[in-house]
Each structure stands twice: as C-alpha cells, then as structure tokens.
Amino acid sequence: AVSEAGLFLDLLADEGTGGGLAASLLARWGEARPAVLLPAAKGGRPELGQELSDAGCALTRLELYESQPAAAPSAELLAVDALLVASPSGARALLASEPELSAKVVAIGPTTAAALEELGYPAAAVAEKPTPAGLLHALAAALS
C-alpha cells in the first residue's frame, strides 16, 4: 500500500512487534531522539509509543480509527478453510460473537496469536515476519 501510494518504505522492522519497530528506529537514529507523530488505533497497543517515549522521543499519538465488532459474521462468511488475522483488534472484532469455526486461524504475529488464544481460537500458524509473504507462508503451513 505504501508503494502504491507513491511513497518509499524507509524501514521495515526485523521483529514484527512494537518493541521490534522501536528498536529498529532507535538503532537507525543513533543518539538522535526526534519528535514522532504516531498514527494509531483508538485503544491500540501502546508498546511502540511507550518504547519511543521512554527512549526520550517527544511522542504525539494520533488515534485515527477504532475497530469495533459489527454484526456477527455470517455462517457463509465463516465457511472458509482459513482466516487470516492481522491484528488483535481485528481478532476481537471478528470473533467477539464466538462463532463456531472449522477454519484454521492464521495470525500475522505473536501478539495477534496471543489475542486469538485469549478468545479461544488458537492460531494454527503464526507468520515469522509480519509481511504479506510471511502471512502466506504461515497460511501454507496451516493448510498443509
């Protein structure tokens, strides 16, 4: 999406967590501690902002959206072989109604996998990296 918008992706963290991204940014910046604008979800995970703030960055968190459960997913929607879940809030929004699933649930990373576990839907596979390729590899592993 970044590339399609004509933007250049300057950094992709080695570890797909807020702490991993913070460590990658801080390593890139060296001793500098710039002001950071962090677009985020309302009620989203605070780790990235907290790590940057603790390291001395002036942080402004801008909550731009909120994930909310919609109506319970239809049986037709859930009649799939696999569900790809890309965030804890997405997991909660999709699975809040406790649907009966036969699908394998694939998580984009360990934080999302933990949220799925809390909801009673353990991940069949977890992407090693939070990228489209990582998610596809996890999907293939879950379905094999």
Side-chain angles (χ1 to χ4, degrees):
V2 170
S3 296
E4 287 176 14
L7 301 171
F8 175 73
L9 181 60
D10 188 53
L11 175 71
L12 183 61
D14 291 330
E15 182 186 331
T17 63
L21 180 54
S24 295
L25 288 168
L26 294 169
R28 166 80 54 96
W29 295 331
E31 296 299 315
R33 294 297 178 255
V36 175
L37 175 64
L38 178 61
K42 182 176 182 183
R45 300 189 58 86
E47 289 87 351
L48 174 58
Q50 189 63 53
E51 293 273 342
L52 294 175
S53 198
D54 289 350
C57 296
L59 184 92
T60 301
R61 182 181 172 95
L62 182 60
E63 294 182 337
L64 296 176
Y65 66 95
E66 180 178 16
S67 295
Q68 296 181 345
S74 68
E76 180 179 276
L77 175 68
L78 296 174
V80 295
D81 294 322
L83 291 172
L84 305 177
V85 183
S87 70
S89 60
R92 287 187 291 274
L94 178 65
L95 302 171
S97 65
E98 299 181 10
E100 192 150 324
L101 291 180
S102 60
K104 303 211 182 227
V105 183
V106 178
I108 196 164
T111 304
T112 301
L116 288 166
E117 184 76 35
E118 288 175 16
L119 290 164
Y121 297 93
V126 180
E128 289 184 26
K129 290 196 174 212
T131 62
L135 201 50
L136 287 174
H137 287 290
L139 174 61
L143 294 175
S144 63

